[in-house]
Amino acid sequence: MKSTGTRVPSTRYRLKNCRICGSARIKQFLSLHYMPIPNGFVPKKDIKKKEFHFPLKVCVCTDCWLVQLTHVIPAEIMFRNYLYIPSTSTTVVAHFREMADHIIKNFNVKRKDLVIDIGSNDGTLLSNFQKKNIPVLGVDPAENIARQANKNGIRTLCTFFTEEKAQKIAQEYGKAKIITATNVIAHIQDLHDVMKGIALLLQDNGIFVMEAPYLADLVERNEFDTIYHEHLSYFSVHPLEVLFHQHGLKIIDIQKQSIHGGSLRVFVAKQSADYTVHPRVEKFLIEEKAKNLQNIKTYDDFALRVKKVKRDLLQFLRKIRKEGKTIIGYGAAAKGNVLLNYCDISTDLLDYIVDSIPYKQGKYTPGTHIPIYPESKIVKAMPDYTLILAWNFADEIIRKNQEYVQKGGRFIIPVPYLKIV
Ligand code: DWN
């Protein structure tokens, strides 16, 4: 039963021009309808309060081929009190450790070099540099999480990263040898302002390393639930090249990463810097053409597959529910909230959701108002089925719930296609 969210008029926040190239030739190819912000978890006391639902639709620029949301919800609404902590996942902690080691080794980072992380969250990534006595500085607008990072000993400025802020950082802390940004560039409306800031804050031989979910994986694996209000852009290499070239920057290397359903790790230097461009960069560009990422039909076909994923999941859940089976969710993830709201799945199908993050336990999911409990509940209650909403961590979740499996519990994985484990 759909929660009665208050719909914000679709004329508000509407995108007029492509965020990278400014073109007005942007074509919508998928609507996930109206939805609350994906990390807007609801405390019990507010369950009856008005909840704003915003249009969630995605379009593609037919000039630079950046896939992006048609409506841009102000960052202030989404990020001032943010409920995403990467360090609860061993997968993410290990991923950041490998990333820091790779950067230190390949770019000869020394103890005098400054490393800045944009969207540094709780400092998980920076802690790996700090352990090697490399000076670090985090930048993150979420007051609650920046406070936690500073308590953890990771020097963090609580602010959005802008060109103006970059000037002040350069004056106060000096220029950076390394600037990182993981799962944050896709969240930014004014990419040009941020790129100007990065270009002026980087040392002449500095490296900017960004990580973001990869559009090719999203499309090929039907990862529609990673489309949400926080993610304004869905990157492929071609539009990124257009963006960086506008700011005197160049991509010198790219690595595929499995995290978050398939991501790109992009290494960027100043065009004037003495780095050769790895042949892998050209290979990605050729592959994207071969995958028809610059052809509108690819996106229309994707939209049809999304509707099939929804149909198959609902059919299965309703069937086992009718057989009297008990079903819960696992991982109160932002992507999970997109899937639940798009498929209109509430307590009529899922009794509750278990999650590892204390911030989220005891709260309710936005829009669908499903209660969230600690993970320990799953083995005590032994539901027949568990729908893994945080499917990007399915291996880690199944690995840590072997007792549930041995006692006959079964996992449901919704994307890329319905799978019962
Ligand atoms: O871009 C973003 C991606 C990288 O992460 C951010 N905008 C927000 C966030 O998206 P998300 O909310 O989908 O995050 P996760 O990390 O996919 O969500 C995982 C959820 O699952 C968390 O709430 C923690 C929970 N979890 C759990 O309960 N047990 C996770 C693991 C690994 C577990 O074992």
Side-chain angles (χ1 to χ4, degrees), residues 33 87 247 333 364 392 419:
H33 312 310
S87 55
H247 296 278
Y364 291 75
N392 49 319
K419 193 165 90 174

Side-chain angles (χ1 to χ4, degrees), residues 39 82 84 88-89 183 187 228 230-231 260 330-335 354-357 360 375 390 392-393 396-397 400:
N39 275 307
Y82 193 53
Y84 170 66
T88 58
S89 150
N183 296 301
H187 300 49
Y228 46 81
E230 288 176 16
H231 296 163
H260 297 305
Y330 204 120
K335 57 173 73 67
V354 294
D355 190 285
S356 62
I357 296 188
K360 299 183 182 179
E375 292 171 295
N392 49 319
F393 297 123
E396 182 177 346
I397 289 169
K400 72 198 268 192

